[in-house]
Amino acid sequence: MRIAFLTDLHIGTENQHPQGVDIRQNFLDALHFLTEMKPDCLVIGGDVCYQQGDREIYRWVLPHLDALGLPYYVISGNHDDSVLLAEEFRLGADLHGQELYFSRVLDTQTALFLDTARGYCSETQWEWLETQLKSLEGNLLVFMHHPPLLADVKYMDINYPFQQRDRLMTLLKSAPGQVTVVCGHYHAERLILVDNVRVLVTPSLFFQMKHDPVECIIEHYRMGIRELNLFTDRLTSTLHYLEGNRTSTK
């Protein structure tokens, strides 16, 4: 099974070009690339909106995803509104209070889709996650917005990390098989291995960040698309970079 993962779209209002980037066109170009990749499904890893959850932006995105003609799954990032997102993307059954989280079976593998939009999970979501892991057999695939650990992008590690990372990593390491976490948020590419947990941090469709500075410094504007291939006994990942669309050199 082939899965495409797009994250940190940061789509603004019509004609809004933050940092001089035509992010709506970036999104459309990324979807066009998927017609060549031919995935079996698509996962959107959060931060659909530029700054904050916006119903009109979700309504602009939705028909473009529907037009792909393949299954897709959407989770929230810290620049989203989980309730609005669930309402507009027909995910009301997966909305638990203010959080949007759910499980699916992709091919034959369990996949958990978490809500870390607030930088942490509620106790209700923790209870659900612990129940899911207790019934787990085999390998696990986890999609979330934040990396579940520090990922050596200093600005993000210092200012915007996942607040419950030790708790989550302890839980994931207790899983019976290999755990692969696919996430974004850091606007950078990272592969991190800890015991049985593999973390794939995926670049943004907006811009990518230099990892060393303690302030936010943009490294480049190419957009990243992650391809995952699920097999019976393994998972492989390929990262594709596309040129971004800039309307200015701001």
Side-chain angles (χ1 to χ4, degrees):
M1 181 179 195
R2 178 169 294 169
I3 304 169
F5 182 75
L6 307 178
T7 189
D8 296 272
L9 286 58
H10 289 284
I11 294 172
T13 57
E14 188 176 4
N15 299 319
Q16 185 178 25
H17 297 151
Q19 297 292 331
V21 177
D22 188 344
I23 192 61
R24 289 196 175 201
Q25 190 59 51
N26 276 9
F27 173 65
L28 296 177
D29 288 351
L31 295 188
H32 178 73
F33 179 79
L34 298 189
T35 64
E36 302 174 12
M37 183 193 295
K38 295 181 171 56
D40 297 296
C41 71
L42 167 65
V43 178
I44 303 292
D47 279 2
V48 176
C49 295
Y50 172 44
Q51 291 180 313
Q52 61 186 13
D54 186 310
R55 193 180 297 276
E56 294 306 315
I57 291 173
Y58 295 142
R59 287 178 177 174
W60 181 83
V61 170
L62 180 62
H64 294 293
L65 294 180
D66 286 343
L68 291 173
L70 54 84
Y72 62 85
Y73 310 96
V74 184
I75 59 175
S76 294
N78 54 294
H79 291 285
D80 288 312
D81 183 307
S82 297
V83 175
L84 292 182
L85 191 152
E87 290 175 354
E88 294 302 325
F89 284 85
R90 306 180 292 266
L91 295 170
D94 297 314
L95 186 66
H96 309 270
Q98 301 294 309
E99 293 175 317
L100 176 67
Y101 55 87
F102 50 95
S103 66
R104 298 289 187 271
V105 176
L106 301 182
D107 198 7
T108 60
Q109 188 161 323
T110 299
L112 303 182
F113 298 78
L114 307 186
D115 188 335
T116 65
R118 295 180 292 182
Y120 62 89
C121 300
S122 69
E123 285 303 315
T124 302
Q125 187 174 174
W126 278 109
E127 291 171 5
W128 172 84
L129 180 56
E130 290 166 356
T131 299
Q132 294 291 318
L133 264 68
K134 285 178 182 177
S135 62
L136 179 67
E137 296 181 4
N139 296 333
L140 174 65
L141 189 56
V142 177
F143 294 99
M144 56 191 294
H145 182 68
H146 293 69
L149 38 61
L150 300 181
D152 192 32
V153 179
K154 289 183 179 178
Y155 173 76
M156 299 300 286
D157 279 346
I158 293 169
N159 296 286
Y160 302 107
F162 182 58
Q163 298 173 30
Q164 299 165 316
R165 53 191 179 275
D166 291 343
R167 182 178 180 181
L168 181 55
M169 286 299 295
T170 298
L171 185 59
L172 295 179
K173 286 190 286 186
S174 73
Q178 176 74 42
V179 178
T180 300
V181 179
V182 187
C183 54
H185 183 54
Y186 269 40
H187 290 243
E189 174 187 355
R190 285 288 181 273
L191 166 62
I192 306 168
L193 304 174
V194 181
D195 296 336
N196 62 321
V197 180
R198 168 175 48 183
V199 180
L200 301 173
V201 185
T202 303
S204 168
L205 292 190
F206 185 10
F207 64 79
Q208 315 314 331
M209 197 178 301
K210 289 187 176 182
H211 77 278
D212 230 11
V214 296
E215 64 270 20
C216 178
I217 296 181
I218 294 172
E219 183 170 27
H220 64 79
Y221 289 90
R222 290 179 296 153
M223 49 181 169
I225 299 172
R226 188 173 295 280
E227 172 187 342
L228 302 168
N229 285 281
L230 293 182
F231 301 93
T232 303
D233 58 346
R234 67 193 188 280
L235 179 150
T236 65
S237 174
T238 303
L239 197 57
H240 304 276
Y241 278 103
L242 306 180
E243 290 301 319
N245 295 275
R246 300 203 69 201
T247 60
S248 73
T249 56
K250 291 180 182 177

